[in-house]
Amino acid sequence: MAQKTSVSSISSVMATYGRFPVTLVKGKGSYVWDDHGAQFLDFTSGIATCNLGHVPDVVKTKLEEQLQNLWHCSNLYNIPNQENLAALLTANSFGNQVFFCNSGAEANEAAIKLARRYSQKVKGTDSFEVVTFQQSFHGRTLATLSATGQEKIQQGFAPLVPGFSYLPFNDIEALQQLENLKPAAVLLELVQGEGGVIPAKTDWVKKLASICEKNEILLMVDEIQTGIGRTGTLFAYEQYGISPDVISIAKGLGSGFPIGAIIAKEAAAKGFEPGTHGSTFGGNPLATAAGIATIEHIVDSNLLTQVNEIAEYLENQLIVLKEKYSFIKEIRGKGLLIGIDVDTNALEIVQKAIEHQLLLLTAGPNVVRVLPPLTVSKEEINEFVEKLEKAFQSI
Ligand SMILES: *Cc1c(COP(=O)(O)O)cnc(C)c1O
């Protein structure tokens, strides 16, 4: 059994997280080790962040190289790594302009600000509304929690930032309201991650995209959890046959090194001019070095083909478990962003899994979220299934 350490009673760290009693000090590939040397199979990837596994050599080498030269440089000067990463991201997506920041919430902040300013200064309208969806998650800053369609995230933070309304997710009928509202933008996740691993339906997304196009509403996709190969393509929107105006990315972009960004089409990007938005650390030489190494590796290697094969293998293993354990209601997701919907307490399963040295996440009270690194092997998946069954048998 795993050694347990809990420092919560003497911690000086603010209690914003309910933490598991595990202290991780080392990681490599799909594994992490605690402060007593116990090894855990990590199927959380730091919440969809360490997509290339822990401490990937390709990124480590690039970071070490950059450490020798320059750590920080103000955005008042040209930053070659930033230019190179922007070129890589636009060459491999719908967009042609990139803004860099440091996190997912900041990326969505940038998208929301861009939508408002584009609407008012480029289109010359007085529209500022951003429509999002129920059960969504867009971040913890004041604007992004206001954008989030979950009351529990917003409680106690009133007054919220005005200008957001929430439509039901995957509801075709409700999309008609967009024609009346004529908002500046729509912001959505293509697989709602925190909201319970709920994939958007293709018909619904296509209809949404066509309404946006017809009414000149910016289509903004929050790819913070679905991006960087997580769903089997570099970005999830590719699988829906749509071309967004803006996407926000973060989590997997730096393989664990903090970085966020928005990618926009040239027209939408006109919403920002010099002096309208910025960030001291955004796109700094180290973070963008990590981003370059990560994207180059995904694009140049055969990783995404491997992700699709291994995701199918994993799904088949989970379907076998579903037949065996009646408390499993549904297996769903896309690529290696997977939810196990259970009619029991998901947190209890995650806690039991820790005892069997397996790290998992929840997504709401009844969904166990499984996020292995994209580099996961068949053997590691077999080990996961074995450990998960042990956790199931002990609840
Ligand atoms: C994690 C996440 C965010 C927030 O990202 P932070 O880096 O924690 O600010 C926003 N949207 C989605 C879909 C996410 O999964």
Side-chain angles (χ1 to χ4, degrees), residues 104-105 108 137-141 144-146 148 153 222:
N108 282 336
F137 181 78
H138 298 298
R140 300 285 192 164
T141 62
T144 59
L145 76 83
S146 302
T148 293
I153 307 280
D222 179 341

mmCIF file of all heavy atoms in Angstrom, residues 104-105 108 137-141 144-146 148 153 222:
data_model
loop_
_atom_site.group_PDB
_atom_site.id
_atom_site.type_symbol
_atom_site.label_atom_id
_atom_site.label_comp_id
_atom_site.label_asym_id
_atom_site.label_seq_id
_atom_site.Cartn_x
_atom_site.Cartn_y
_atom_site.Cartn_z
ATOM 1 N N GLY A 104 -4.785 28.687 -18.796
ATOM 2 C CA GLY A 104 -6.037 28.521 -19.511
ATOM 3 C C GLY A 104 -7.003 29.673 -19.269
ATOM 4 O O GLY A 104 -7.581 30.221 -20.208
ATOM 5 N N ALA A 105 -7.155 30.037 -18.001
ATOM 6 C CA ALA A 105 -8.082 31.127 -17.684
ATOM 7 C C ALA A 105 -7.667 32.406 -18.403
ATOM 8 O O ALA A 105 -8.505 33.128 -18.945
ATOM 9 C CB ALA A 105 -8.134 31.356 -16.176
ATOM 10 N N ASN A 108 -8.725 32.239 -22.003
ATOM 11 C CA ASN A 108 -10.143 32.557 -22.188
ATOM 12 C C ASN A 108 -10.430 34.033 -21.929
ATOM 13 O O ASN A 108 -11.274 34.630 -22.601
ATOM 14 C CB ASN A 108 -11.010 31.662 -21.292
ATOM 15 C CG ASN A 108 -11.161 30.262 -21.870
ATOM 16 O OD1 ASN A 108 -11.029 30.066 -23.076
ATOM 17 N ND2 ASN A 108 -11.432 29.290 -21.014
ATOM 18 N N PHE A 137 -16.870 24.642 -18.262
ATOM 19 C CA PHE A 137 -15.848 25.164 -17.356
ATOM 20 C C PHE A 137 -14.848 25.978 -18.167
ATOM 21 O O PHE A 137 -14.269 25.482 -19.127
ATOM 22 C CB PHE A 137 -15.105 24.051 -16.620
ATOM 23 C CG PHE A 137 -14.062 24.602 -15.669
ATOM 24 C CD1 PHE A 137 -14.433 25.131 -14.444
ATOM 25 C CD2 PHE A 137 -12.719 24.641 -16.032
ATOM 26 C CE1 PHE A 137 -13.480 25.687 -13.585
ATOM 27 C CE2 PHE A 137 -11.761 25.191 -15.179
ATOM 28 C CZ PHE A 137 -12.150 25.707 -13.948
ATOM 29 N N HIS A 138 -14.678 27.250 -17.773
ATOM 30 C CA HIS A 138 -13.769 28.103 -18.538
ATOM 31 C C HIS A 138 -12.703 28.777 -17.684
ATOM 32 O O HIS A 138 -11.919 29.564 -18.216
ATOM 33 C CB HIS A 138 -14.574 29.138 -19.329
ATOM 34 C CG HIS A 138 -15.494 28.521 -20.338
ATOM 35 N ND1 HIS A 138 -15.033 27.755 -21.389
ATOM 36 C CD2 HIS A 138 -16.847 28.508 -20.439
ATOM 37 C CE1 HIS A 138 -16.060 27.319 -22.104
ATOM 38 N NE2 HIS A 138 -17.167 27.747 -21.559
ATOM 39 N N GLY A 139 -12.650 28.498 -16.377
ATOM 40 C CA GLY A 139 -11.565 29.046 -15.578
ATOM 41 C C GLY A 139 -12.034 29.691 -14.292
ATOM 42 O O GLY A 139 -13.227 29.720 -13.987
ATOM 43 N N ARG A 140 -11.071 30.223 -13.532
ATOM 44 C CA ARG A 140 -11.321 30.710 -12.168
ATOM 45 C C ARG A 140 -11.131 32.208 -11.999
ATOM 46 O O ARG A 140 -11.243 32.707 -10.873
ATOM 47 C CB ARG A 140 -10.366 29.991 -11.206
ATOM 48 C CG ARG A 140 -10.530 28.484 -11.188
ATOM 49 C CD ARG A 140 -11.769 28.082 -10.447
ATOM 50 N NE ARG A 140 -11.783 26.647 -10.183
ATOM 51 C CZ ARG A 140 -12.602 26.082 -9.291
ATOM 52 N NH1 ARG A 140 -13.450 26.807 -8.617
ATOM 53 N NH2 ARG A 140 -12.571 24.786 -9.112
ATOM 54 N N THR A 141 -10.761 32.941 -13.056
ATOM 55 C CA THR A 141 -10.706 34.397 -12.908
ATOM 56 C C THR A 141 -12.140 34.911 -12.908
ATOM 57 O O THR A 141 -13.074 34.172 -13.242
ATOM 58 C CB THR A 141 -9.938 35.050 -14.070
ATOM 59 O OG1 THR A 141 -10.631 34.770 -15.282
ATOM 60 C CG2 THR A 141 -8.505 34.533 -14.163
ATOM 61 N N THR A 144 -13.794 34.543 -16.344
ATOM 62 C CA THR A 144 -13.953 33.166 -16.832
ATOM 63 C C THR A 144 -14.864 32.339 -15.922
ATOM 64 O O THR A 144 -15.536 31.432 -16.398
ATOM 65 C CB THR A 144 -12.595 32.461 -17.026
ATOM 66 O OG1 THR A 144 -11.880 32.432 -15.785
ATOM 67 C CG2 THR A 144 -11.760 33.146 -18.087
ATOM 68 N N LEU A 145 -14.937 32.679 -14.637
ATOM 69 C CA LEU A 145 -15.924 31.969 -13.805
ATOM 70 C C LEU A 145 -17.330 32.478 -14.106
ATOM 71 O O LEU A 145 -18.307 31.742 -13.984
ATOM 72 C CB LEU A 145 -15.572 32.017 -12.305
ATOM 73 C CG LEU A 145 -15.784 33.252 -11.448
ATOM 74 C CD1 LEU A 145 -17.211 33.372 -10.935
ATOM 75 C CD2 LEU A 145 -14.848 33.195 -10.250
ATOM 76 N N SER A 146 -17.406 33.740 -14.549
ATOM 77 C CA SER A 146 -18.697 34.259 -14.994
ATOM 78 C C SER A 146 -19.117 33.577 -16.301
ATOM 79 O O SER A 146 -20.304 33.359 -16.541
ATOM 80 C CB SER A 146 -18.633 35.775 -15.205
ATOM 81 O OG SER A 146 -18.239 36.419 -14.009
ATOM 82 N N THR A 148 -18.361 30.528 -17.000
ATOM 83 C CA THR A 148 -18.589 29.118 -16.669
ATOM 84 C C THR A 148 -20.059 28.861 -16.324
ATOM 85 O O THR A 148 -20.625 29.562 -15.491
ATOM 86 C CB THR A 148 -17.666 28.723 -15.484
ATOM 87 O OG1 THR A 148 -16.310 28.763 -15.947
ATOM 88 C CG2 THR A 148 -17.981 27.343 -14.946
ATOM 89 N N ILE A 153 -19.203 27.009 -9.102
ATOM 90 C CA ILE A 153 -17.940 27.725 -9.344
ATOM 91 C C ILE A 153 -18.110 29.220 -9.041
ATOM 92 O O ILE A 153 -17.150 29.919 -8.734
ATOM 93 C CB ILE A 153 -17.485 27.534 -10.824
ATOM 94 C CG1 ILE A 153 -17.429 26.051 -11.219
ATOM 95 C CG2 ILE A 153 -16.187 28.251 -11.143
ATOM 96 C CD1 ILE A 153 -16.213 25.301 -10.767
ATOM 97 N N ASP A 222 -13.039 26.512 -26.623
ATOM 98 C CA ASP A 222 -12.113 26.330 -25.503
ATOM 99 C C ASP A 222 -11.489 24.943 -25.640
ATOM 100 O O ASP A 222 -12.106 23.935 -25.326
ATOM 101 C CB ASP A 222 -12.899 26.468 -24.185
ATOM 102 C CG ASP A 222 -12.009 26.278 -22.949
ATOM 103 O OD1 ASP A 222 -10.912 25.706 -23.085
ATOM 104 O OD2 ASP A 222 -12.431 26.692 -21.846
#
